[in-house]
Amino acid sequence: MDILVAALVAAGAFFFLAGTVGLLRFPDVFSRLHALTKADNLGLGLIVLGLALHSVSWLVALKLVITWLLVLGATATTCHLIARTGLERGLPHDRPPHDPNAGAAP
Amino acid sequence: MTVVFDAVLVLLVLAVTLRMLTSREPFEAVVLFVAFGLAMALVWVRAGAVDVALAEIALGAGVTGALLVNTVRRLRAKAPEWLELPEPSVARAAVPVACGALAAAAAFAATRFAPAAEPLGPRIAARVAETPVSHPVTAVLLDFRAYDTLLEIAVLFGGLVSVWAVERGRAAVPPPATPAREPVLAALVGWIVPLAVIAAVYLTWMGSHGPGGAFQAGALLAGAGVLLLAAGFAQPYRSDSAAMRLFAAAGLLTFAGAALYTAVAGDAMLRYPAAAGYWWILGIEAVLTVSIAAILAEQFADVPAGPSSAGEDA
């Protein structure tokens, strides 16, 4: 069990690391958002899963899962708002602005 | 292993602080201030001070962060020259150096004190049973040192009154046109605000026997209010609205009333009647929660919220 917990938390940390590298290395706002939200949500999910397995009671596990869901909702919304504002302000990105996928990409 | 974690945490706090203080871009500095609050909250958790960590997150990082974002946005619109920072100079560099020296001197002085013959922690723990609550932090805040908390509320209310005084006489900000509702944000607000209200009630009640209480719960409620304002669901209130003034003053009035009553009719000021002490504390905490939320949220009072600002505030 401990090995499983450690593996899950380590995998979560890896996604955080990948997301951070993406945030630092990707060229524009939209691909950075893509790196951040995908990686952080998954990373936090794996860490929460690991900690929930590790936790002493199901109540703590439930609180952890609720935290993850709240963060999911908040980051997805924030990401959407930042991306939308970026599009409205005409920030540079790789795809042409009228590409139907552009708004949905992050 | 925890030593490694603590060392990394200390380095993180120092790095974020340094970056925040040397940042040339106000918005960046504000974001770093929020990051600083989150890192400090981890420090408080490591020190075992969960109540302080909660307050740091809710008040330090959350509400103050939103206030600072708001300030930067308003300055950008009204007085952008105020946001231009002066060039670095020897005089400016002297300030952090002097602060660092002072902190080092204080840290050194702290190591010179002999440990107290009778540390405060065990003394409080020994006497918590005499109070109506079982959480030592709440016992200190609302029983042993209730007078201090009463004055804190007075300071908070005084802060809002001075905001009102500054705003007074300025041209009334016209109520914003109904902002274009952002559907994704609207869905989130519809979920988060009821949850925040439930969590605030829970935190207020939790304060009687665990980490929580009026300040954390009030900050959470204020956050919900700020979200409603920023997302265009609520109109900014007018500071001359009687209802908003009552909400803001209720905490101070109730607390001061309890102090007066216990001083005149009871044994001593803020010594609650033994039988109903728990309900006195819970009642004061509940009214304080609403008042703190109102006071904090009203700092955003005359700011018209627009759809373009929602992204920054969320």
Side-chain angles (χ1 to χ4, degrees), chain B residues 81-295:
Chain B
E81 68 277 6
W82 282 30
L83 290 174
E84 281 163 24
L85 299 172
E87 286 298 311
S89 68
V90 177
R92 283 189 72 208
V95 175
V97 170
C99 289
L102 193 65
F108 178 72
T111 64
R112 310 294 293 172
F113 282 115
E118 205 183 348
L120 206 50
R123 274 168 73 191
I124 292 171
R127 297 194 59 183
V128 164
E130 296 171 25
T131 74
V133 292
S134 55
H135 185 50
V137 174
T138 309
V140 171
L141 287 181
L142 279 149
D143 197 307
F144 300 140
R145 305 293 308 173
Y147 184 58
D148 294 355
T149 309
L150 172 61
L151 291 184
E152 272 177 35
I153 297 301
V155 168
L156 208 55
F157 182 69
L160 180 64
V161 169
S162 50
V163 169
W164 283 342
V166 171
E167 300 286 323
R168 196 179 172 83
R170 281 186 17 183
V173 178
T178 312
R181 292 267 170 89
E182 168 63 58
V184 178
L185 183 61
L188 181 78
V189 170
W191 273 98
I192 292 286
V193 170
L195 281 176
V197 173
I198 294 172
V201 172
Y202 171 75
L203 271 177
T204 308
W205 167 76
M206 191 67 198
S208 63
H209 55 274
F215 279 91
Q216 293 90 340
L220 195 60
L221 266 189
V226 170
L227 190 60
L228 284 175
L229 282 169
F233 280 82
Q235 297 286 319
Y237 1 73
R238 291 171 55 90
S239 55
D240 55 2
S241 131
M244 289 321 295
R245 290 190 172 198
L246 188 67
F247 273 130
L252 182 58
L253 288 175
T254 307
F255 212 160
L260 200 64
Y261 178 82
T262 46
V264 173
D267 300 336
M269 192 174 80
L270 290 172
R271 181 168 296 165
Y272 311 109
Y278 178 80
W279 296 106
W280 277 68
I281 287 187
L282 202 62
I284 290 174
E285 288 247 62
V287 182
L288 285 186
T289 300
V290 174
S291 262
I292 289 168
I295 289 172

Side-chain angles (χ1 to χ4, degrees), chain A residues 5-84:
Chain A
V5 169
L8 283 168
V9 173
F14 171 76
F15 275 99
F16 269 101
L17 187 69
T20 311
V21 171
L23 176 71
L24 293 173
R25 300 296 300 168
F26 279 168
D28 60 61
V29 168
F30 304 102
S31 47
R32 283 178 193 168
L33 282 174
H34 168 83
L36 253 195
T37 51
K38 293 264 163 55
D40 282 3
N41 288 341
L42 198 54
L44 184 66
L46 286 168
I47 289 178
V48 160
L49 194 61
L51 294 181
L53 288 176
H54 189 66
S55 60
V56 282
S57 76
W58 64 269
L59 206 61
V60 175
L62 183 69
K63 281 181 190 168
L64 282 166
V65 172
I66 290 175
T67 308
W68 179 57
L69 290 177
L70 284 172
V71 171
L72 268 185
T75 50
T77 309
T78 318
C79 170
H80 169 77
L81 290 173
I82 293 175
R84 203 184 146 117

